[in-house]
């Protein structure tokens, strides 16, 4: 082992776990202690302000200035008592992660002193200098004005000494520049559309909430080893590294004992997350070595997504404290499972009903089927768009490999629900007797019993029904869930609206409501059949079959993203009020640009490492072999020396071949980049990066990985997979 490598590996092995003290209070006692939730609002706000704020949170009613001032004052008082000195508008720009700019509460009082100030105006709206956030050209840099506006539906929280106020981020002319603004609009759209459909079954429903329960997968790597790998450091993934002789084939990591160092990290992460009101519930090892997962209890979608972003930030921060680095990249290691973030999604009413769960009465089950079928139809119609919503340069490594959802969106329903839909579809309309409210002669009433033992779980499906929800499994571990959630909720909203229009038309023509619903459902089941697939999503046959069914099979990320601008997508976004054509165009510019930048950085890092790490190491070892060959000649007669050196000569030649290939390809890579960089159109540029530059990375890597196998371990300075993945 090289000296440097030895030093970092040894340090990693000897690192002690940090003992995280168990809090003296129970989780139920410190839960949400750092959140300005209802309880604190009640305590810190005057009665009227509390009532108005509650109304605003529940029904989106705008706050007047007086109330905003009262809320700001109460919030400030609480925050200062909690030790906060600063506040920030916290938002989700179109980059990864979140953004914030901190301002101190303290302000000159005009008399030579300072006073802690925070007004309703500062709470509600701010203008960060936003020129450096991606906007896809919506906000020209000369009018660098975008502003952040408070989202009262997600409570403020404290991190370290700062009060964080969740906000949306929009341009001066009102276009959204973030993930939150369109998500909120999509949630509102689905609320309205679903409430209307619920009224066929229950006129008391006033509100429908979309729920999200995410499952976050991640890797932990020792911080010392991480910093000795420039590729991990700069790109979040290893651009080289031969597979370890042992990786996940024994499947001994999954649900195995969690190593102490990791456990202490998880423990602190949980404590801090609970204080922030994030209801973390499960933690376990994942399939790959050093891979783990955590999941909270599901919450309202917007809040849950904020919590996911907060957790990712906490994970990054605490991993450093514990001597780790957390890898949220979807595919940090080749040949080892990547990380995803399953998005469990459902709709629920203010009357406490989960709309994607079967009920006890025939009406309840018809409602259940109504929602399931409408979701299927929406997913079918927008399958290309849903794929676009999870597509990124990093997630592309994971999709389509035999470990993650395939690059084709389909939906698994399981035998029971499939059977119910089939029966409904094939029942002659006249057989469906709709006598009054109870007279459905369908077997739908019997669903609950059979669903109880719904154990058939299909892990290969990207969009699976799992009992009372759908699980969108193609979302990337690093992604902002909002990207997928805003598309899904908006698509379902659009579909529910169309469904209602069709049903109402039939009712107006004299059909009984349930009969009308059943008729439309039967048609929709037929029409969206192509999306329903319960088989093995990893199989080659499925690819061919999906193509035949007309599902989107595109695999190139820059082209997948085109789906946002398809006519039916634009129509869907505009009719639901979620995004305008202009916004969609701008956001696609950002997506293509991001794609290009990611691949560009990887290409640069790989080129640099190849030239200043790999080739020098390989040459050094090769020189020592050459030296040996010459010495053999000094020592032995010529023909004997030749025989004895034959194998070393082979290695020398081998190394020379790899080196010359690598050098040649790195030169080509530089040239290809120069050509691509001249392309002005972001879309075309991204396509060039995808088609010509990206494939070269793997080709170069292949030869580097071969060298790793032959070059003397004494010389190899980059930590190897076996060290990165198995250090505790
Ligand atoms: P898995 O077996 O897929 O690993 P888990 O039980 O670990 O599932 O996690 C499932 C996630 O789904 C949790 O976050 C859970 O709160 C969430 N969940 C459960 N029911 C619903 C629902 N009706 N809507 C949304 N999310 C849900
Ligand atoms: Mg899951």
């Amino acid at each position: 082992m090289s000296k440097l490598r030895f030093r970092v590996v040894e340090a990693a092995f000897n690192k002690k776990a940090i003992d995280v003290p168990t809090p003296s209070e129970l989780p139920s006692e410190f839960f949400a202690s750092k959140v300005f939730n209802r309880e604190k609002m009640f305590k810190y706000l005057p009665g009227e302000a509390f009532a108005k704020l509650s109304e605003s949170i529940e029904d989106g009613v705008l706050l007047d200035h007086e109330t905003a001032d009262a809320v700001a004052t109460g919030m400030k008082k609480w925050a200062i008592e909690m030790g906060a000195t600063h506040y920030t508008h916290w938002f989700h720009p179109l980059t990864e992660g979140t953004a914030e700019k901190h301002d101190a509460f303290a302000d000159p009082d005009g008399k030579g002193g300072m006073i802690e100030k925070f007004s309703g105006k500062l709470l509600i709206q701010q203008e960060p200098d936003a020129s450096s956030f991606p906007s896809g050209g919506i906000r020209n840099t000369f009018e660098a004005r975008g502003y952040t506006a408070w989202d009262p539906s997600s409570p403020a929280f404290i991190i370290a000494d700062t009060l964080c106020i969740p906000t949306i981020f929009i341009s001066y002319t009102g276009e959204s520049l973030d993930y939150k603004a369109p998500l909120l609009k999509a949630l509102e759209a689905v609320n309205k559309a679903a409430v209307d459909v619920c009224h066929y079954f229950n006129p008391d429903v006033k509100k429908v909430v979309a729920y999200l329960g995410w499952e976050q997968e991640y890797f932990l790597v020792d911080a010392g080893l991480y910093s000795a790998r420039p590729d991990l450091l700069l790109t979040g993934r290893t651009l080289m590294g031969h597979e370890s002789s042992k990786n996940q084939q024994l499947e001994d990591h999954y649900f195995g004992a969690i190593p102490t160092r990791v456990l202490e990290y998880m423990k602190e992460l949980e404590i801090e997350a609970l204080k922030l009101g994030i209801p973390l519930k499960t933690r376990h090892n994942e399939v790959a070595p050093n891979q783990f997962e955590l999941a909270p209890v599901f919450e309202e979608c917007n809040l849950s997504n904020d919590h996911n972003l907060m957790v990712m930030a906490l994970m990054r921060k605490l991993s450093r404290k514990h001597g780790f680095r957390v890898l949220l990249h979807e595919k940090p290691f080749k040949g080892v499972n990547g990380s995803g973030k399953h998005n469990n999604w459902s709709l629920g009413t203010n009357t406490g009903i989960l709309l994607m769960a079967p009920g006890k009465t025939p009406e309840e089950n018809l409602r259940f089927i109504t929602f399931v079928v409408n979701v299927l139809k929406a997913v079918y119609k927008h399958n290309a768009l849903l794929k676009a919503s999870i597509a990124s340069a990093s997630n592309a490594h994971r999709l389509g490999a035999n470990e993650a959802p395939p690059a084709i969106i389909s939906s698994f329903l399981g035998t029971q629900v499939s059977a119910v839909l089939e029966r409904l579809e094939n029942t002659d309309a006249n057989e469906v007797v709709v006598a009054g409210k109870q007279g459905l002669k369908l077997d739908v009433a019997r669903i609950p019993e059979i669903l109880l033992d719904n154990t058939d779980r299909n892990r290969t499906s990207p969009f699976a029904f799992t009992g009372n929800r759908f699980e969108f499994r193609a979302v990337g571990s690093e992604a902002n869930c909002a990207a997928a959630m805003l598309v899904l909720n908006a698509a379902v909203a659009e579909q529910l609206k169309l469904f209602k229009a069709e049903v109402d038309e039939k009712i107006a023509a004299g059909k009984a409501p349930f009969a009308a619903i059943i008729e439309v459902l039967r048609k929709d089941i037929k029409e969206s059949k192509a999306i329903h697939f319960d088989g093995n999503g990893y199989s080659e046959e499925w690819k061919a079959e999906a193509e035949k069914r007309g599902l989107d099979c595109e695999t190139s990320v820059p082209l997948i993203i085109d789906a946002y601008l398809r006519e039916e997508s634009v129509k869907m976004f505009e009719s639901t009020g979620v995004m305008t054509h202009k916004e969609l165009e701008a956001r696609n510019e950002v997506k293509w640009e991001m794609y290009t930048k990611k691949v560009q950085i990887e290409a640069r890092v790989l080129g640099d490492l190849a030239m200043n790490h790999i080739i020098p190491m390989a040459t050094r070892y090769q020189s020592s072999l050459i030296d040996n060959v010459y010495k053999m000649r000094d020592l032995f007669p010529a023909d004997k020396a030749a025989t004895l050196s034959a194998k070393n000569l082979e290695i020398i030649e081998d190394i020379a071949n790899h080196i010359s290939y690598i050098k040649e390809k790195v030169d080509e890579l530089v040239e290809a980049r120069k050509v691509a960089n001249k392309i002005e159109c972001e879309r075309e540029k991204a396509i060039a990066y995808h088609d010509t530059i990206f494939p070269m990375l793997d080709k170069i890597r292949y030869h580097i990985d071969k060298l790793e196998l032959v070059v003397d371990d004494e010389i190899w300075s980059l930590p190897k997979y076996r060290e990165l993945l198995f250090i505790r």
Side-chain angles (χ1 to χ4, degrees):
M1 217 185 274
S2 85
K3 276 208 190 83
L4 166 77
R5 212 169 107 227
F6 181 74
R7 211 155 21 88
V8 289
V9 170
E10 193 190 40
F13 260 111
N14 292 332
K15 229 170 250 178
K16 291 263 179 310
I18 295 184
D19 212 4
V20 176
T22 303
S24 54
E25 293 173 297
L26 289 170
S28 59
E29 290 164 325
F30 62 79
F31 181 72
S33 57
K34 292 184 170 182
V35 184
F36 194 66
N37 57 7
R38 288 292 166 109
E39 187 193 326
K40 273 120 198 173
M41 287 174 196
F42 186 73
K43 185 167 166 206
Y44 285 84
L45 301 184
E48 198 183 337
F50 175 76
K52 284 191 177 161
L53 180 58
S54 303
E55 205 188 356
S56 166
I57 293 170
E58 258 144 50
D59 308 321
V61 179
L62 271 181
L63 278 191
D64 57 78
H65 281 290
E66 221 173 287
T67 310
D69 275 334
V71 174
T73 305
M75 226 186 236
K76 181 187 73 179
K77 183 161 189 289
W78 168 72
I80 289 174
E81 280 175 21
M82 292 288 294
T85 52
H86 288 65
Y87 62 91
T88 181
H89 273 196
W90 180 83
F91 59 103
H92 314 173
L94 295 174
T95 49
E96 279 143 19
T98 54
E100 51 206 73
K101 176 190 152 222
H102 298 192
D103 285 301
F105 283 121
D107 221 23
D109 63 359
K111 294 177 231 150
M114 299 282 265
I115 182 167
E116 272 73 30
K117 276 214 284 209
F118 188 53
S119 65
K121 218 171 108 206
L122 290 172
L123 166 67
I124 287 185
Q125 186 175 322
Q126 289 194 19
E127 276 187 41
D129 173 19
S131 52
S132 48
F133 291 107
S135 73
I138 279 186
R139 194 175 17 72
N140 295 328
T141 16
F142 57 82
E143 59 145 77
R145 296 217 280 185
Y147 62 89
T148 50
W150 181 34
D151 163 23
S153 64
S154 182
F157 54 93
I158 291 176
I159 295 209
D161 61 0
T162 304
L163 170 70
C164 301
I165 300 152
T167 58
I168 56 169
F169 180 38
I170 48 187
S171 79
Y172 195 62
T173 42
E175 286 88 9
S176 46
L177 298 171
D178 68 346
Y179 285 110
K180 198 190 243 293
L183 176 64
L184 289 173
K185 289 178 187 167
L187 294 172
E188 186 44 32
V190 84
N191 166 30
K192 277 215 182 81
V195 165
D196 283 349
V197 171
C198 280
H199 285 170
Y200 290 130
F201 307 97
N202 179 356
D204 299 337
V205 172
K206 291 205 168 52
K207 191 172 174 181
V208 169
V209 175
Y211 291 112
L212 166 65
W214 41 265
E215 302 164 53
Q216 177 77 52
E217 291 182 331
Y218 61 99
F219 281 88
L220 284 175
V221 171
D222 178 80
L225 295 165
Y226 173 90
S227 53
R229 288 288 307 227
D231 48 353
L232 263 185
L233 194 85
L234 296 171
T235 72
R237 74 174 178 114
T238 53
L239 298 172
M240 55 189 66
H242 198 279
E243 266 181 56
S244 166
S245 316
K246 170 184 191 260
N247 49 42
Q248 64 190 49
Q249 60 278 68
L250 298 180
E251 293 182 353
D252 49 358
H253 189 64
Y254 196 57
F255 286 135
I258 299 172
T260 322
R261 235 178 109 194
V262 176
L263 201 57
E264 292 299 314
Y265 165 72
M266 288 177 167
K267 185 172 165 190
E268 185 159 12
L269 182 61
E270 278 174 6
I271 294 169
E272 290 309 312
L274 289 170
K275 285 182 190 163
L276 285 167
I278 306 168
L280 289 192
K281 182 89 177 157
T282 59
R283 58 181 186 203
H284 59 78
N285 287 352
E286 260 304 324
V287 179
N290 280 16
Q291 193 187 29
F292 309 94
E293 179 186 297
L294 58 83
V297 176
F298 68 94
E299 299 175 281
E300 181 276 315
C301 186
N302 174 45
L303 181 63
S304 177
N305 188 45
D306 279 357
H307 282 167
N308 180 242
L309 288 157
M310 285 153 72
V311 157
M312 290 197 286
L314 259 184
M315 288 168 86
R316 290 193 176 103
K317 186 170 114 189
L318 291 176
S319 70
R320 288 169 184 246
K321 180 171 167 189
H322 287 260
F324 290 118
R325 282 307 155 90
V326 66
L327 306 180
L328 293 172
H329 191 288
E330 282 81 4
K331 191 75 181 173
F333 304 102
K334 191 179 166 185
V336 173
N337 269 17
S339 302
K341 179 153 53 196
H342 295 179
N343 277 203
N344 294 271
W345 169 87
S346 66
L347 297 172
T349 66
N350 64 315
T351 55
I353 291 165
L354 280 177
L355 295 171
M356 253 79 80
K360 292 190 183 70
T361 65
E363 291 101 274
E364 283 173 352
N365 284 325
L366 184 59
R367 182 213 64 220
F368 158 66
I369 290 169
T370 299
F371 277 91
V372 167
V373 171
N374 274 289
V375 171
L376 279 186
K377 182 102 190 275
V379 172
Y380 169 59
K381 185 168 171 196
H382 296 291
N383 72 86
L385 179 62
L386 274 166
K387 189 165 72 186
S389 77
I390 54 92
S392 70
S394 50
N395 204 18
H397 292 280
R398 182 177 152 255
L399 297 182
N402 260 12
E403 49 159 291
I408 301 164
I409 302 293
S410 65
S411 187
F412 166 86
L413 293 178
T415 41
Q416 288 95 356
V417 178
S418 300
V420 172
L421 295 196
E422 201 172 311
R423 219 178 313 144
L424 184 57
E425 185 197 339
N426 295 320
T427 313
D428 190 297
N430 300 323
E431 275 179 42
V432 184
V433 182
V434 185
K437 257 193 134 196
Q438 300 295 325
L440 286 172
K441 230 186 89 188
L442 275 171
D443 276 348
V444 283
R446 282 207 266 125
I447 304 169
E449 294 105 75
I450 41 182
L451 263 188
L452 279 181
D453 58 15
N454 183 6
T455 45
D456 55 344
R457 297 262 242 150
N458 182 329
R459 300 252 162 220
T460 71
S461 177
F463 197 83
F465 178 73
T466 47
N468 60 4
R469 60 188 188 268
F470 280 91
E471 188 166 339
F472 193 13
R473 301 201 179 112
V475 182
S477 50
E478 202 170 21
N480 185 321
C481 304
M485 285 297 110
L486 75 90
V487 169
L488 179 60
N489 286 298
V492 170
E494 180 202 40
Q495 172 52 35
L496 289 170
K497 274 208 297 194
L498 296 173
F499 174 78
K500 180 172 165 24
E502 282 182 65
V503 172
D504 285 352
E505 202 178 304
K506 288 188 192 293
I507 295 175
K511 275 249 172 233
F514 284 179
I517 289 173
I518 287 169
E519 248 181 58
V520 180
L521 286 179
R522 294 184 58 206
K523 175 190 67 85
D524 285 346
I525 292 171
K526 278 199 185 72
E527 282 177 12
S528 51
K529 220 170 212 173
I531 200 74
H532 177 196
F533 177 62
D534 279 8
N536 178 5
Y538 296 166
S539 69
E540 282 304 314
E541 300 86 74
W542 169 234
K543 278 186 202 157
E545 164 73 15
E547 187 123 32
K548 251 199 277 168
R549 293 189 187 188
L551 296 176
D552 189 273
C553 297
E554 183 55 59
T555 58
S556 154
V557 172
L559 295 178
I560 289 175
I561 291 169
D562 280 344
Y564 277 100
L565 296 171
R566 285 188 185 181
E567 203 184 321
E568 64 268 26
S569 307
V570 176
K571 198 166 150 203
M572 184 278 280
F573 282 121
E574 290 198 326
S575 71
T576 49
V578 172
M579 274 191 277
T580 62
H581 194 191
K582 186 177 166 196
E583 285 173 297
L584 289 165
E585 274 183 333
R587 295 165 88 96
N588 259 27
E589 292 290 300
V590 175
K591 292 193 175 87
W592 284 312
E593 195 184 326
M594 290 276 273
Y595 181 88
T596 298
K597 282 186 179 159
K598 290 261 164 155
V599 180
Q600 192 177 51
I601 292 169
E602 289 188 354
R604 285 190 189 140
V605 172
L606 183 69
D608 288 353
L609 278 178
M611 296 310 294
N612 56 34
H613 275 68
I614 307 302
I615 294 185
M617 290 190 293
T619 313
R620 213 171 343 141
Y621 175 54
Q622 191 190 36
S623 300
S624 71
L625 292 176
I626 294 172
D627 199 39
N628 173 280
V629 171
Y630 277 117
K631 283 178 180 153
M632 286 292 211
R633 284 191 196 163
D634 290 345
L635 220 63
F636 296 104
D639 53 343
K640 184 157 188 202
T643 320
L644 291 174
S645 299
K647 290 293 164 202
N648 274 354
L649 281 167
E650 263 175 41
I651 301 176
I652 291 165
E653 207 180 321
D654 230 22
I655 292 176
N657 286 334
H658 289 308
I659 288 178
S660 72
Y661 186 93
I662 291 171
K663 172 74 173 70
E664 203 180 296
K665 285 289 161 197
V666 168
D667 289 345
E668 268 178 41
L669 191 61
V670 174
E671 285 313 308
R673 275 208 318 269
K674 279 187 193 154
V675 174
N677 291 347
K678 287 208 184 80
I679 303 174
E680 294 238 330
C681 165
E682 290 296 350
R683 178 176 179 273
E684 294 301 321
K685 196 193 285 183
I687 291 173
Y689 265 89
H690 174 272
D691 291 356
T692 57
I693 292 158
F694 183 70
M696 294 167 83
L697 301 185
D698 252 2
K699 288 192 182 137
I700 296 173
R701 176 191 187 135
Y702 174 84
H703 291 273
I704 294 178
D705 290 354
K706 287 281 174 218
L707 283 175
E708 186 189 311
L709 284 184
V710 291
V711 169
D712 183 0
D713 194 55
E714 279 289 334
I715 294 173
W716 203 264
S717 61
L718 299 169
K720 297 183 172 179
Y721 268 29
R722 61 172 183 255
E723 290 138 11
L724 290 167
L725 283 166
F726 290 95
I727 292 280
R728 292 307 183 209

